[in-house]
Amino acid sequence: MNKRILTLLFTLAPMFTFASESTTEKIDSIFKDYTGWFVNAIFYEIPFSENFKIPWVLIVLVGGAVYFTLYFKFINFVGFKTAIQVVRGKYEDIEKHGVDTLYGDQTPGGDIFETIRDDSAEGEVSHFQALTAALSATVGLGNIAGVAVALSIGGPGATFWMILAGLLGMASKFAECTLGVKYRDVDEDGVVYGGPMYYLTKGLKEKGAGKLGKILAVLFAVFVIGGSFGGGNMFQANQAAAQFTKLFDLTGPNAGLYFGLVMAVLVAIVIIGGIKRIASVTEKVVPFMAGIYVLAAIIILFANFTLIDDAFGLIFEGAFSGLGIAGGLIGVMIQGIRRGAFSNEAGVGSAAIAHSAVRTKYPASEGIVALLEPFVDTVVICTMTALVIIITNFDGQFMEYGVPIKEGVELTAVAFDSVIPHFSIVLTIAVILFAFSTMISWSYYGMQGWKFLFGKGKITDLVYKILFLFFVVVGASISLGAVIDFSDAMIFAMVVPNIIGVVMLSPVIKKELSKYMNAINKKEEAIEDGAIDVTEHM
């Protein structure tokens, strides 16, 4: 493995010479000229009136979330308790062997558990590992910087709509991740290939729309590759490098380059091992970094607990008034919903790639686990960031609502530092860890799209990983505004083929949900009847 990492780095070395300021300007100019139309198309705002404009991609995201919430009878709420139980492993036995094998016919002549052949579930990672791998791609700079930007434009009321977007997005995550497991490919070595590319081709073919499925799958694969290089890589590396060099006052011309090289080495060590190693890292890093960040937020909220009810008062008042805020009530709604939807990526389809690698016989089991993702990302972490900023900014010490800001991380750091001196150091570490975990997860997403288009082979893998590591260094070294804008647009372009496919395959998802809930009920009935000692089968 060490030889493979060295090969990647030596291959990258000659490319670093291109990371110069003049080259940056040229690339930025070229991208702006040739891809500006695409960026404008993806983020085009539909004008309903002079002061009422909504990005069409936001309408698709939220519209899909509302549809899935209603179609699956509020699974985002009624399935929450089950999701916690699944992550804790309560139903691991039936997911591994099948409910009929363990809790079926127990009469003489039936299968005896100890003598049946091993028919274990396919997959590479556990429910918890799949969840953290997906969370590592969504929990990141958006939770720290994006919330501050949303509040600066939409005021405290944006928080309400952000939470609503997170709650609705839980249904979208359930739907797409169930399909990710349902239609995944598993090769002879047990390696899993999954995501929208596969359920768009296989699922829509079953529906008699094979040609449409292929077109949508290819589009999605192209978009996810572009997104993995840009928003999932260069942007993360760039922001992490900026925070690191600013904190330690590293002003040298090569400071970003050196940071990028170190980051590339760390990323290479992880992504060489595939989803198993990515999952093993994220299951440790994500809870750790999210835990530190949330703990600091709790400390600040506890120190100002008398102001929490006032903060929520501002949130609810601002959510339905929008007085004095850019865009009024509509502006508040758009900022909150946009932040929530874009932060947790529900409906984008990216998370279905990570969740598809889970070990289970029941696709809906992972869909139920996946609905926890927007809750953790948006409802918990984003809301805590918002509360800290609102409480520490009651007297307008560092931000005037309605006046847009650009440096969201700095504003959040000021808010935390006002109660916990020098917390900006910890926040910088959190930013770097968030960026790192996001990059390794998006490398897996992009790799899956790359393999779908160009085949599954060692050379194919190597080419993609070389390109990905190259962009880590580029992102940390230089500023590529237009390139990153284009790449971010590709991430949200993924929404179109994904939502079309998931809506068309909704009946399949409902059948899988019914199948899994029936399996759970069958196990519970067997335990209640006392016919089975469940500990024998765990």
Side-chain angles (χ1 to χ4, degrees):
M1 184 193 72
N2 293 331
K3 291 182 178 179
R4 295 179 67 186
I5 294 175
L6 289 174
T7 300
L8 287 176
L9 296 178
F10 277 124
T11 305
L12 288 174
M15 300 181 184
F16 299 150
T17 58
F18 292 101
S20 65
E21 187 173 349
S22 60
T23 303
T24 298
E25 294 174 354
K26 291 178 182 178
I27 295 176
D28 197 52
S29 178
I30 292 172
F31 259 78
K32 192 171 184 179
D33 291 340
Y34 289 95
T35 66
W37 64 271
F38 180 75
V39 176
N40 294 334
I42 295 300
F43 294 113
Y44 175 74
E45 297 182 335
I46 299 176
F48 290 92
S49 67
E50 185 177 350
N51 298 317
F52 182 17
K53 299 178 182 179
I54 302 179
W56 70 269
V57 70
L58 192 63
I59 296 175
V60 175
L61 277 172
V62 177
V66 171
Y67 170 79
F68 298 133
T69 296
L70 297 175
Y71 187 83
F72 298 115
K73 300 179 179 178
F74 296 91
I75 185 65
N76 31 358
F77 303 107
V78 299
F80 193 88
K81 180 180 178 181
T82 303
I84 299 295
Q85 294 173 329
V86 175
V87 173
R88 294 178 60 188
K90 182 175 181 180
Y91 306 114
E92 186 176 349
D93 57 339
I94 61 175
E95 291 165 13
K96 183 178 181 181
H97 299 287
V99 69
D100 291 329
T101 298
L102 302 180
Y103 304 104
D105 183 13
Q106 299 298 318
T107 58
D111 286 331
I112 302 174
F113 175 72
E114 289 78 5
T115 62
I116 62 173
R117 68 182 179 87
D118 184 10
D119 194 26
S120 300
E122 297 173 320
E124 299 185 82
V125 298
S126 67
H127 284 297
F128 182 71
Q129 288 177 322
L131 177 63
T132 55
L135 269 172
S136 66
T138 58
V139 176
L141 296 174
N143 304 81
I144 299 174
V147 173
V149 173
L151 289 178
S152 73
I153 302 173
T159 308
F160 175 87
W161 300 104
M162 179 180 65
I163 294 172
L164 180 62
L167 293 173
L168 292 174
M170 293 166 71
S172 298
K173 277 289 173 77
F174 159 76
E176 60 194 12
C177 292
T178 296
L179 291 175
V181 179
K182 169 71 175 177
Y183 292 105
R184 64 186 177 182
D185 278 350
V186 184
D187 67 14
E188 296 178 352
D189 298 324
V191 177
V192 175
Y193 304 95
M197 302 83 68
Y198 295 90
Y199 59 69
L200 287 171
T201 50
K202 294 182 179 180
L204 295 187
K205 185 178 181 180
E206 290 179 358
K207 291 284 185 180
K211 290 184 179 180
L212 174 62
K214 287 182 179 180
I215 294 172
L216 295 177
V218 170
L219 286 174
F220 184 91
V222 171
F223 294 151
V224 77
I225 292 170
S228 74
F229 289 149
N233 183 345
M234 285 195 293
F235 175 73
Q236 305 297 325
N238 182 274
Q239 293 297 296
Q243 281 299 113
F244 183 82
T245 54
K246 186 180 298 182
L247 178 67
F248 295 102
D249 195 25
L250 302 174
T251 57
N254 295 320
L257 175 61
Y258 295 144
F259 179 88
L261 285 169
V262 173
M263 186 68 84
V265 171
L266 295 175
V267 171
I269 291 172
V270 177
I271 68 175
I272 290 294
I275 186 59
K276 288 184 179 180
R277 180 167 294 169
I278 291 173
S280 69
V281 172
T282 57
E283 74 173 339
K284 300 177 182 67
V285 173
V286 172
F288 173 73
M289 66 184 184
I292 290 179
Y293 187 73
V294 170
L295 178 62
I298 291 175
I299 291 173
I300 293 175
L301 295 178
F302 182 76
N304 298 274
F305 70 93
T306 57
L307 299 177
I308 293 178
D309 57 341
D310 294 328
F312 276 111
L314 287 178
I315 289 172
F316 286 110
E317 179 184 357
F320 300 100
S321 66
L323 297 177
I325 300 300
L329 174 59
I330 300 302
V332 174
M333 291 176 61
I334 291 176
Q335 286 304 315
I337 294 175
R338 181 173 185 170
R339 179 69 268 140
F342 286 7
S343 175
N344 58 55
E345 297 177 14
V348 174
S350 53
I353 300 174
H355 285 283
S356 65
V358 75
R359 288 187 295 268
T360 184
K361 283 182 173 293
Y362 297 94
S365 68
E366 190 58 22
I368 289 176
V369 168
L371 63 80
L372 293 174
E373 194 181 322
F375 182 83
V376 173
D377 173 270
T378 307
V379 179
V380 176
I381 299 180
C382 284
T383 302
M384 283 198 159
T385 300
L387 285 174
V388 168
I389 293 174
I390 293 169
I391 286 176
T392 56
N393 190 56
F394 261 124
D395 298 325
Q397 296 96 318
F398 52 83
M399 178 174 66
E400 180 183 351
Y401 297 125
V403 179
I405 62 169
K406 294 182 178 180
E407 297 294 335
V409 174
E410 289 184 2
L411 190 146
T412 303
V414 170
F416 276 82
D417 277 345
S418 66
V419 179
I420 306 176
H422 306 298
F423 185 77
S424 56
I425 297 175
V426 178
L427 193 64
T428 298
I429 296 173
V431 167
I432 294 173
L433 287 175
F434 279 138
F436 175 71
S437 63
T438 298
M439 284 190 284
I440 61 177
S441 289
W442 267 96
S443 73
Y444 180 69
Y445 295 168
M447 171 68 80
Q448 292 296 301
W450 187 272
K451 288 181 177 179
F452 181 81
L453 291 179
F454 303 111
K456 304 165 184 175
K458 292 182 178 180
I459 299 299
T460 304
D461 286 13
L462 189 63
V463 171
Y464 175 82
K465 288 171 182 175
I466 288 173
L467 288 172
F468 191 86
L469 295 175
F470 169 63
F471 284 120
V472 172
V473 180
V474 170
S477 307
I478 56 182
S479 176
L480 293 173
V483 175
I484 294 175
D485 287 344
F486 174 70
S487 302
D488 282 346
M490 295 192 84
I491 289 179
F492 297 111
M494 293 158 57
V495 170
V496 180
N498 183 59
I499 291 294
I500 291 174
V502 178
V503 169
M504 292 179 68
L505 294 171
S506 292
V508 176
I509 302 169
K510 181 171 282 190
K511 288 181 181 178
E512 291 297 334
L513 176 60
S514 178
K515 186 186 299 182
Y516 184 56
M517 296 311 296
N518 288 338
I520 289 177
N521 292 335
K522 195 169 187 177
K523 173 178 177 174
E524 298 292 351
E525 290 171 1
I527 294 173
E528 289 178 6
D529 293 341
I532 300 293
D533 181 2
V534 67
T535 59
E536 294 180 1
H537 299 155
M538 295 299 288

